Amino acid sequence: MSHVPSRPGASARALPRSVSVPAASPLRGPRGGTSQYRGTALVTGASSGIGAAVARRLATAGDWRLVLNGRDATRLQQVAEETSGITIPIDLTQSGAGRRLTDLVLDHTGGVDLLVASAGVGWAGPFVDMPPAAITEVFDADLSATVHLVRHLLPHMLAAGSGRVVIIGSIAGSVGVKGEAVYSAAKAALVAFTDALRYELCDTGVGITLVVPGAVDTPFFDRRGVPYRRSRPKPLPPDRVAEAVWNAVRHGKDEVYVPGWLRLPARVRGTAPAFYRRLAARFG
């Protein structure tokens, strides 16, 4: 198990220039002292889309200190200016990035009370046309980066006896989506990872939540190279997913579908897989 640093009050390493810390940023958290805040929240993928929306929603709650991670330093800084957050623009797909991010956050804040893991990429098209590098990128960004970050942060939450991990999944991970075989596989692995880890965390004081959105109106589709072409369901605004994340954190929910009706095809897939496959083959 990795070393658990001492709580606020301990000496900290100097932050590198890539970390932007706003002035007069009081420490949040239930760890005693003069803290006036609920806790520290680390949001990955916070430079745009769901991650940026989650950061803004937590900021409106008024009692979280935000640490924002993403690969685009310019966009990340824009979100930080809106939310008074700290920015750490580290690419989590790089070797050792999860540990580096964990060390930087803990050195500056003393602990993380909430992790919202929303970083991810997509790729759409026939699997036989998918470049090998794209396969690696999707698995690295959507699965491995999240697993490694949770691995480094979780011992500190367990030592504190509290905290919550929120993982942003996808309906593609619950039912599989044509033309997104590798993306679906990566998100399905996150479903199994979340379920298995939840059993381990029982009675530890640390919770884990899986948020399962459908299509969301974000730059995700532009970056994957293929626009969203389905007539239904229509893409949701990212703010709606952010609100679902906030409600899940407030009420300690294990799993949330956004919108809620998406739970139905997932259940049909689980209880009547042959029937679901016939529907999927017909309607896509």
Side-chain angles (χ1 to χ4, degrees):
M1 180 175 293
S2 58
H3 172 66
V4 179
S6 58
R7 294 307 185 203
S11 60
R13 293 196 298 260
L15 295 174
R17 291 181 181 180
S18 62
V19 180
S20 173
V21 183
S25 180
L27 184 64
R28 307 180 181 187
R31 295 180 171 86
T34 59
S35 171
Q36 66 188 74
Y37 300 114
R38 179 191 303 254
T40 295
L42 170 60
V43 183
T44 69
S47 58
S48 66
I50 293 173
V54 168
R56 295 184 184 105
R57 181 62 186 89
L58 292 175
T60 63
D63 53 1
W64 289 93
R65 180 180 196 178
L66 297 177
V67 181
L68 310 179
N69 166 257
R71 292 194 281 192
D72 189 316
T74 301
R75 288 203 310 255
L76 195 65
Q77 184 59 38
Q78 292 171 351
V79 177
E81 290 172 358
E82 298 176 42
T83 61
S84 299
I86 299 168
T87 66
I88 307 183
I90 291 177
D91 183 351
L92 291 177
T93 65
Q94 299 300 310
S95 177
R99 179 180 294 278
R100 292 198 303 275
L101 177 58
T102 298
D103 289 344
L104 286 169
V105 175
L106 294 176
D107 282 351
H108 186 67
T109 68
V112 173
D113 305 281
L114 172 64
L115 167 65
V116 181
S118 62
V121 298
W123 193 94
F127 176 64
V128 294
D129 294 335
M130 190 173 186
I135 295 174
T136 299
E137 182 184 16
V138 170
F139 276 124
D140 284 350
D142 295 357
L143 176 61
S144 296
T146 294
V147 171
H148 283 292
L149 181 58
V150 172
R151 170 61 185 86
H152 292 302
L153 272 176
L154 190 57
H156 304 275
M157 289 185 174
L158 291 172
S162 65
R164 179 159 294 271
V165 173
V166 177
I167 292 178
I168 305 298
S170 170
I171 189 61
S174 299
V175 299
V177 173
K178 179 182 177 180
E180 299 182 55
V182 175
Y183 178 75
S184 297
K187 291 297 186 177
L190 283 179
V191 173
F193 171 70
T194 304
D195 281 344
L197 190 55
R198 186 177 296 115
Y199 304 142
E200 291 187 30
L201 297 177
C202 184
D203 299 325
T204 65
V206 179
I208 187 164
T209 299
L210 178 69
V211 175
V212 185
V216 183
D217 187 10
T218 72
F220 174 88
F221 293 106
D222 295 333
R223 293 174 193 150
R224 76 175 186 173
V226 177
Y228 184 78
R229 296 193 177 101
R230 296 174 184 267
S231 59
R232 64 182 66 178
K234 293 187 179 300
L236 300 168
D239 290 349
R240 185 165 175 185
V241 182
E243 188 65 29
V245 169
W246 173 234
N247 285 331
V249 171
R250 290 176 62 197
H251 301 292
K253 295 182 179 179
D254 290 338
E255 187 175 74
V256 179
Y257 283 79
V258 191
W261 65 263
L262 282 180
R263 190 179 296 273
L264 178 60
R267 286 179 174 174
V268 173
R269 171 67 180 83
T271 58
F275 174 65
Y276 178 83
R277 283 193 290 270
R278 288 197 297 271
L279 291 177
R282 180 176 179 183
F283 299 107

